[in-house]
Amino acid sequence: MKKMMVGTALALIASMSMSMTAFAAEDLPSADVAEQGYDFYKDAVSYNDLREKLGVVPKIEDEITIGFATKTFENEFWRMEKEGAEAAAKTFQDAGYKLTVDVRGAQTETDEEGQLTLLMDMVNKKYDGILISGISEANLVPGMEAAIEAGIDMTTVMDAFTPYATTTVGAWHYQAGVQGAEWIYNKIGEEGKVACITGLSQATAAQARTQGFNDFYADKDKIEVVAVQNGDWDRQKAYDITETLLQQYPDLAGIYCNNDTMAMGALEAVVAADSECVIVGTDGTSEATESIKAGELDATVDFFPNKMAEIAVEMQIRKLAGEELPKVIYAPQSIRDGENVDKSFEEIFGYDYSPVFE
């Protein structure tokens, strides 16, 4: 079928409040996760703990097409997710699976309408399964409802948890905020002024990472959180925020950023001001890790996006083969700094990720 036009997507978003009544909230596949919160779900499982229990991937003889409706490839993190999903496709193809993985991203960080359009196209083409990384909690609702009506299973990857998907494979966002805050705390000697630059306010990942940051410092008497400001995932905004903060607080000791794009902007402002303020990002992009290697950026919470996407593709195939999986699977994540930035994924976690085939 032809791709839906943007006007249609706009109409769908405009009628979203009516669309959401089509499914009772308590009847959605991951309703219990929504009730408890993705970052606080009692039955969440770490992939590091799950991998030994998975066993071989069941063989599927039929042709399979999996879509991945993701965010903008202007952001390196989502390009790395795309590369991981495509690498997974090749791994399964080499193992004899007739698999096609179609990865498409929104035009910009805020292109909610365009992202809905590409998801609806995948639904209309009756893909076997769809991976989703929504820009917000709500923008893909009409498409997700259409997918459920068409019997298409969905897996959320990384961002914008949704109860419409049967499984979410992603970072433990709350813990990332804790990890970033704790690294800064130890680095600056457990006292001083700190700040947080957050992502888009409607992004659940940004909300959870910021909460982790705030909760870590809640009982730290010698730490003063002087600012929590919205940088919208944008490098220039993070630069501007940091520049202003350093003018207001010349002794600012540390800044935690909700993603690496903003961390690099904050770093540029720190360098320009000749400040000793430490900067910690989130995501583990290659720009961030290369900057750490060069002795510039201090640290990042690495989500290993390539591996995360590979794991998500594997989980979607397992579900298509009839396996039951946990509703929440936290992908591997780790602080990367000067001490371990040269170590590989395998060296950090002690295993080489690869699906096991019959």
Side-chain angles (χ1 to χ4, degrees), residues 16-66:
M16 192 173 294
S17 59
M18 286 194 303
S19 174
M20 291 181 70
T21 64
F23 293 89
E26 64 271 17
D27 294 332
L28 294 174
S30 295
D32 55 335
V33 183
E35 182 178 358
Q36 296 174 36
Y38 162 80
D39 281 270
F40 309 97
Y41 184 53
K42 66 180 180 64
D43 294 322
V45 177
S46 165
Y47 176 78
N48 289 339
D49 296 330
L50 179 66
R51 59 182 293 273
E52 296 292 344
K53 304 174 185 176
L54 287 171
V56 300
V57 182
K59 185 66 176 177
I60 299 177
E61 299 295 341
D62 296 335
E63 293 186 3
I64 311 165
T65 300
I66 295 175

Side-chain angles (χ1 to χ4, degrees), residues 12 15-35 38 116 119-120 123 129-134 136-157 159-168 316 319 327-328:
L12 282 167
S15 64
M16 192 173 294
S17 59
M18 286 194 303
S19 174
M20 291 181 70
T21 64
F23 293 89
E26 64 271 17
D27 294 332
L28 294 174
S30 295
D32 55 335
V33 183
E35 182 178 358
Y38 162 80
L116 174 59
L119 172 59
M120 287 300 303
V123 173
I130 301 176
L131 312 181
I132 50 175
S133 297
S136 70
E137 288 183 303
N139 74 296
L140 295 182
V141 166
M144 294 185 295
E145 290 195 339
I148 289 179
E149 289 174 347
I152 299 173
D153 184 76
M154 291 173 286
T155 298
T156 304
V157 185
D159 272 357
F161 164 80
T162 172
Y164 291 84
T166 57
T167 304
T168 298
Q316 185 62 64
K319 287 191 292 177
K327 293 183 180 181
V328 173

Side-chain angles (χ1 to χ4, degrees), residues 243-321:
E243 183 179 49
T244 300
L245 286 175
L246 291 172
Q247 291 169 357
Q248 295 174 331
Y249 309 100
D251 58 344
L252 186 65
I255 300 176
Y256 168 63
C257 298
N258 280 178
N259 78 351
D260 284 338
T261 299
M262 295 189 298
M264 297 308 297
L267 174 64
E268 290 167 2
V270 165
V271 171
D274 196 24
S275 169
E276 296 298 318
C277 180
V278 300
I279 304 295
V280 176
T282 313
D283 283 343
T285 62
S286 62
E287 182 181 20
T289 54
E290 288 303 315
S291 183
I292 293 169
K293 290 177 183 178
E296 300 163 346
L297 185 66
D298 294 284
T300 182
V301 183
D302 195 343
F303 291 148
F304 302 93
N306 306 66
K307 299 296 183 184
M308 183 190 297
E310 290 186 64
I311 292 169
V313 171
E314 178 189 342
M315 296 306 112
Q316 185 62 64
I317 290 173
R318 286 182 179 276
K319 287 191 292 177
L320 291 175

Side-chain angles (χ1 to χ4, degrees), residues 342-356:
D342 289 318
K343 292 184 179 179
S344 66
F345 177 93
E346 292 74 20
E347 290 172 320
I348 290 173
F349 293 103
Y351 63 86
D352 180 9
Y353 168 75
S354 182
V356 179

